Amino acid sequence: MSEVKIENGKSKKTLVFRAKRGIFLLLVITLYSLLIALNSCASSSGLTSALSAASEIASAAGYGEAGAALSAGASVSKAMEEITPENEYYIGRAVAATILSNYKVYSAPATEAYLNKICNVIVINSEKPELYNGYHVKILDSSEVNAFATSGGHIFITCGLLACTNSEDALAGVIAHEIAHIQLQHSLKAIKTSRWTAAGISATSAAVSVAKKDAELASTMNDMVSDVVTDMVNNGYSKSQEFDADSLALTLMASAGYNPESMLDMLSLLKTAQAGKSSGMYKTHPSPDQRISNVNSALKQVTLSADTRAYRTARFAKNK
């Protein structure tokens, strides 16, 4: 502890400063200034690195409280960073790896090629036909009725879901729905939300460390960060995002020449398949009845010049 005596006119005042708290306050002020700079012109990624380095230095020097605060600042800065197309792809590839750790790929080259052709027709006629590494469809060897999409353009459809389709247009509805998730950047929004949640948890953890020095509670809060990401991967998108994906899928289908009303056929088949089940798509999506209601409303905004479904009947029977 250090003492500083200050002469102030006729009176004397003795101010006692705790050295660590003084340095801690200085670091917090510096952090606040850096964050203000970030809003104006500084590089977010550069600031993240700087704050992380400062956190390590402060902790190594024995100023654990300051290190925790700086770590929280780095977490906030990271949440502000822009996700580039390259980042988008590699994040999606990591999510795809997580999916493939739980499911095996089903080997059916002809059917897989057929699905990718449908996918390509849809994306070529969409407003976002290109991704960093393109769109790719794979079949998962599972009787579960489900489908997944990642920000990297990976689309996975289970054998169980394929078995529920009764036409190429219905199948196009499934693929268009997953493409819509990608084009609406739903997974990235979930990731950004999780990063802000992580930043909030980190900041709260730092506050707990400073106020109560409760390491156990701080550790528990930090563990919640990984839970956010796990929840995002396992539990799918929000209901509103699912509805938005269905609505955009109708437009994507119509633009590619597929009849958007086939989405209703697909949802009716899912409703039948759902009876008595609560896993797979039934767990992560709104109920078929809810989706049917949403699609019926959205169909009023979509037009199709001609119904050409009959021309695709033989092709579907050959490739399914």
Side-chain angles (χ1 to χ4, degrees):
M1 183 184 297
S2 60
E3 294 188 359
V4 180
K5 295 183 179 181
I6 299 177
E7 297 285 347
N8 185 14
K10 297 180 180 179
S11 63
K12 289 185 178 181
K13 292 183 179 179
T14 301
L15 302 179
V16 179
F17 295 91
R18 295 184 183 278
K20 284 190 176 181
R21 292 188 182 279
I23 294 174
F24 173 60
L25 179 60
L26 178 60
L27 288 171
V28 170
I29 293 172
T30 302
L31 167 61
Y32 180 70
S33 301
L34 286 170
L35 290 176
I36 292 175
L38 171 62
N39 279 335
S40 57
C41 61
S43 164
S44 179
S45 59
L47 179 58
T48 301
S49 300
L51 290 172
S52 296
S55 173
E56 292 178 6
I57 293 171
S59 298
Y63 302 115
E65 297 170 351
L70 286 166
S71 178
S75 191
V76 171
S77 177
K78 183 176 179 61
M80 290 180 176
E81 290 176 22
E82 180 183 357
I83 297 178
T84 67
E86 292 86 350
N87 296 149
E88 188 174 349
Y89 168 70
Y90 287 108
I91 289 170
R93 194 170 73 168
V95 175
T98 300
I99 293 171
L100 292 176
S101 69
N102 295 314
Y103 296 87
K104 292 182 179 180
V105 172
Y106 181 71
S107 180
T111 302
E112 183 178 301
Y114 174 55
L115 296 178
N116 277 283
K117 286 178 181 178
I118 295 173
C119 178
N120 288 335
V121 167
I122 294 172
V123 297
I124 286 173
N125 288 281
S126 74
E127 293 184 358
K128 296 181 180 179
E130 296 183 359
L131 289 179
Y132 178 72
N133 197 38
Y135 297 80
H136 305 278
V137 183
K138 282 286 184 181
I139 305 170
L140 299 178
D141 189 4
S142 172
S143 59
E144 181 181 296
V145 178
N146 216 340
F148 307 90
T150 82
S151 61
H154 311 89
I155 297 172
F156 299 99
I157 302 176
T158 63
C159 290
L161 182 53
L162 286 178
C164 287
T165 60
N166 63 358
S167 69
E168 182 174 311
D169 288 54
L171 186 53
V174 172
I175 296 173
H177 176 89
E178 299 307 322
I179 291 171
H181 277 309
I182 295 170
Q183 296 193 352
L184 291 171
Q185 296 189 315
H186 283 161
S187 62
L188 291 184
K189 290 174 182 177
I191 289 167
K192 286 180 179 179
T193 298
S194 73
R195 288 166 77 175
W196 276 111
T197 302
I201 292 170
S202 180
T204 304
S205 176
V208 169
S209 177
V210 171
K212 299 181 179 179
K213 294 182 171 51
D214 190 338
E216 183 177 350
L217 179 57
S219 176
T220 299
M221 294 179 121
N222 285 330
D223 287 342
M224 290 169 61
V225 178
S226 61
D227 292 340
V228 171
V229 178
T230 300
D231 184 70
M232 179 193 72
V233 173
N234 293 340
N235 295 335
Y237 303 109
S238 67
K239 285 189 176 182
S240 62
Q241 288 177 323
E242 293 295 347
F243 292 146
D244 289 343
D246 275 341
S247 297
L248 178 56
L250 300 178
T251 300
L252 293 172
M253 292 173 71
S255 297
Y258 288 109
N259 193 315
E261 292 183 359
S262 294
M263 180 71 79
L264 293 174
D265 297 337
M266 186 69 239
L267 292 173
S268 295
L269 291 168
L270 288 177
K271 181 179 179 179
T272 300
Q274 181 177 0
K277 298 181 180 179
S278 59
S279 61
M281 186 174 286
Y282 317 128
K283 176 183 176 183
T284 62
H285 287 62
S287 71
D289 283 334
Q290 291 175 312
R291 294 179 67 188
I292 287 171
S293 177
N294 176 70
V295 167
N296 273 319
S297 297
L299 277 171
K300 298 174 183 177
Q301 310 299 322
V302 181
T303 58
L304 184 67
S305 57
D307 187 349
T308 59
R309 281 179 286 187
Y311 293 101
R312 295 181 282 277
T313 302
R315 184 168 62 194
F316 174 77
K318 178 182 178 182
N319 288 283
K320 184 180 177 183

